[in-house]
Amino acid sequence: MPTTTDTEPGRSDSAAGGARRGRPGYDQETVLNIAVQVFNKHGYDATSMGTLAENLGISKSAIYHHVPSKGDLLRLALDHALAPLEAVGDDERARTGSAGERLEFFLRGTIRVLIERQSYVTLLLRLRGNTEVERSALERRRAMDRRLAELVVAAQEEGSLRGDIDPRTTTRLLFGTINSLVEWYRPDGPVTAESLEENAIGMMLDGLHTRDK
Amino acid sequence: MPTTTDTEPGRSDSAAGGARRGRPGYDQETVLNIAVQVFNKHGYDATSMGTLAENLGISKSAIYHHVPSKGDLLRLALDHALAPLEAVGDDERARTGSAGERLEFFLRGTIRVLIERQSYVTLLLRLRGNTEVERSALERRRAMDRRLAELVVAAQEEGSLRGDIDPRTTTRLLFGTINSLVEWYRPDGPVTAESLEENAIGMMLDGLHTRDK
């Protein structure tokens, strides 16, 4: 029941309405959305349940109504980034066709998830691995690194990618370029998601040089 | 007098020797090197002079012997990244020749500084802008963004860069790709600095696709 999705952090229907028996006016998705913003701003380690409660404008016990612990909140939030990213690699189009086509599908799909789930991916990319939840997420990231590395090698072997670039470095460069998007892209800015995707794919696969040079 | 440059953090000649009248065995450069590592590990805001002293294995007053304040330490450290980065843009080769050549020189020079000054650039890239020293550094970063943007536009206008990519997005993509190197590159790993530079430049300017495709 996303009753207050459009409500600003710090305000909830229950607080405004006053008479709702202390039941928070947020659904789990909204709690998650705000929690991720707070984690990204202050860092996960430095964010207490008290800070979260303050930002949500509800009591700590009201948060526990949604999730048992801060770690569960993190796990749910990270899954909002990891599940769609993994779905890209599991998609039929990342598994059939030429390696070059599969690679391009994988890269485009990853860019789209980064744009659609920007704050969740930002959280994922800033993890330090201090807890079991974090280490499990980092292991899922490494599995995606291996998936991309395999696609790069396959595309080099089939001849659609140049062979003079180290595949491991290429994998790092591709994810480095794509991941950097979360740091500066603003969905409400002048660059559309489609244009960003084309520009990034254009640079990575075809380069910035004009082709007749 | 870099007497203890090869000494591990937490150990100093004066501590080992015992009889040196409390004068710290570090020179300013070594203090800076260790401070930057501590800042990068814990975050600048979260690092106290006490934490620094602990990591250096010297007293707080011994640090004050080298620098008047934590902010001065930050300013000096940031200048270790900013000065060589700015020197790239000021170099004759970034100012004469075709725009395409100037752009390539600028990108290659920036990559080299990132590799040579990795921990200092990491510190620069993680700044949040909470203090005047940080804001001043961020302004110098923005000046470099503008410099790169100008080179991109000039190279597009002369026809050496493709015209179908938004110059502002291209600038972001280029710095995003290059800056991401500090996150994973290890000087003692299997990839040499020269190979990394060639691979990154190769992808950004010529793309990963084989040219006959």
Side-chain angles (χ1 to χ4, degrees):
Chain A
M1 297 182 294
T3 52
T4 60
T5 308
D6 296 331
T7 308
E8 281 176 34
R11 297 185 54 196
S12 73
D13 279 350
S14 63
R20 291 197 200 174
R21 290 185 298 131
R23 179 63 69 95
Y26 292 127
D27 63 341
Q28 195 189 57
E29 203 60 26
T30 309
V31 169
L32 218 47
N33 262 318
I34 297 173
V36 165
Q37 288 166 36
V38 179
F39 288 157
N40 284 339
K41 189 169 175 192
H42 301 286
Y44 172 72
D45 292 335
T47 304
S48 67
M49 284 300 247
T51 309
L52 281 178
E54 209 173 289
N55 277 274
L56 286 156
I58 58 180
S59 66
K60 276 203 261 187
S61 62
I63 301 183
Y64 289 118
H65 165 77
H66 292 293
V67 283
S69 71
K70 196 176 87 157
D72 286 290
L73 210 47
L74 180 65
R75 188 176 44 74
L76 282 169
L78 291 173
D79 205 56
H80 270 55
L82 288 163
L85 286 170
E86 287 167 344
V88 171
D90 292 339
D91 193 287
E92 187 69 13
R93 288 162 288 181
R95 300 157 73 93
T96 52
S98 75
E101 286 165 347
R102 284 183 282 141
L103 175 67
E104 183 168 334
F105 175 83
F106 185 92
L107 296 174
R108 286 183 182 273
T110 302
I111 292 171
R112 279 177 212 174
V113 174
L114 256 73
I115 293 172
E116 281 163 20
R117 298 283 168 94
Q118 191 167 6
S119 59
Y120 294 97
V121 176
T122 301
L123 180 69
L124 176 66
L125 295 176
R126 290 188 189 165
L127 285 192
R128 291 160 157 267
N130 290 335
T131 64
E132 192 48 46
V133 170
E134 291 171 80
R135 283 188 289 275
S136 159
L138 290 175
E139 179 48 42
R140 287 167 75 182
R141 264 192 77 184
R142 278 192 290 274
M144 285 184 275
D145 288 344
R146 288 192 293 272
R147 187 96 175 80
L148 177 57
E150 285 163 12
L151 286 170
V152 166
V153 170
Q156 282 187 315
E157 282 171 357
E158 89 181 0
S160 54
L161 286 202
R162 44 199 283 197
D164 64 336
I165 290 188
D166 173 52
R168 199 178 148 77
T169 302
T170 302
T171 303
R172 299 283 205 170
L173 288 170
L174 288 169
F175 266 141
T177 306
I178 292 175
N179 292 344
S180 73
L181 303 180
V182 304
E183 297 296 334
W184 65 268
Y185 183 66
R186 297 288 165 266
D188 54 356
V191 180
T192 65
E194 293 70 29
S195 159
L196 178 62
E197 181 184 325
E198 288 311 318
N199 283 201
I201 290 288
M203 181 184 85
M204 294 187 292
L205 296 183
D206 294 318
L208 294 173
H209 277 159
T210 43
R211 281 281 166 160
D212 50 331
K213 274 277 167 182
Chain B
M1 297 183 294
T3 51
T4 59
T5 309
D6 296 330
T7 308
E8 281 177 33
R11 297 185 52 194
S12 73
D13 279 352
S14 62
R20 292 199 199 173
R21 289 187 297 131
R23 180 62 70 93
Y26 292 127
D27 64 341
Q28 195 189 57
E29 203 60 28
T30 309
V31 168
L32 217 47
N33 262 319
I34 297 174
V36 165
Q37 288 166 38
V38 180
F39 288 156
N40 284 340
K41 189 170 173 190
H42 302 287
Y44 172 72
D45 293 334
T47 304
S48 67
M49 283 300 245
T51 309
L52 281 178
E54 209 172 292
N55 277 274
L56 285 156
I58 58 180
S59 67
K60 276 203 262 186
S61 62
I63 302 185
Y64 289 118
H65 165 76
H66 293 293
V67 283
S69 71
K70 194 175 89 157
D72 286 289
L73 209 46
L74 181 66
R75 188 178 44 73
L76 282 169
L78 291 173
D79 205 55
H80 270 54
L82 288 163
L85 286 170
E86 287 166 346
V88 172
D90 292 338
D91 193 286
E92 187 69 13
R93 287 162 288 180
R95 300 157 73 92
T96 53
S98 75
E101 287 164 347
R102 283 183 281 142
L103 175 66
E104 184 169 334
F105 175 83
F106 185 91
L107 296 174
R108 286 181 182 274
T110 302
I111 292 171
R112 280 176 213 176
V113 174
L114 256 72
I115 293 172
E116 280 163 21
R117 297 283 168 96
Q118 191 167 7
S119 60
Y120 293 97
V121 176
T122 301
L123 181 70
L124 176 66
L125 294 176
R126 290 188 189 164
L127 285 192
R128 289 160 159 270
N130 291 334
T131 64
E132 193 48 44
V133 171
E134 292 171 81
R135 283 188 289 276
S136 159
L138 290 175
E139 179 48 42
R140 287 167 76 182
R141 264 192 77 184
R142 277 191 291 275
M144 285 184 273
D145 288 344
R146 288 192 294 271
R147 187 95 176 81
L148 177 57
E150 284 163 15
L151 285 170
V152 167
V153 170
Q156 282 188 314
E157 282 171 357
E158 93 183 354
S160 55
L161 287 202
R162 45 200 282 196
D164 64 336
I165 290 188
D166 172 53
R168 199 178 148 77
T169 302
T170 302
T171 302
R172 299 284 204 169
L173 288 171
L174 288 169
F175 266 140
T177 306
I178 292 175
N179 291 343
S180 73
L181 302 181
V182 303
E183 297 296 334
W184 64 269
Y185 183 66
R186 297 289 166 266
D188 54 356
V191 180
T192 65
E194 293 70 27
S195 159
L196 178 62
E197 181 184 325
E198 287 312 317
N199 282 200
I201 290 288
M203 181 183 85
M204 293 187 292
L205 296 183
D206 294 318
L208 294 173
H209 277 159
T210 44
R211 280 281 165 161
D212 50 332
K213 274 276 167 181

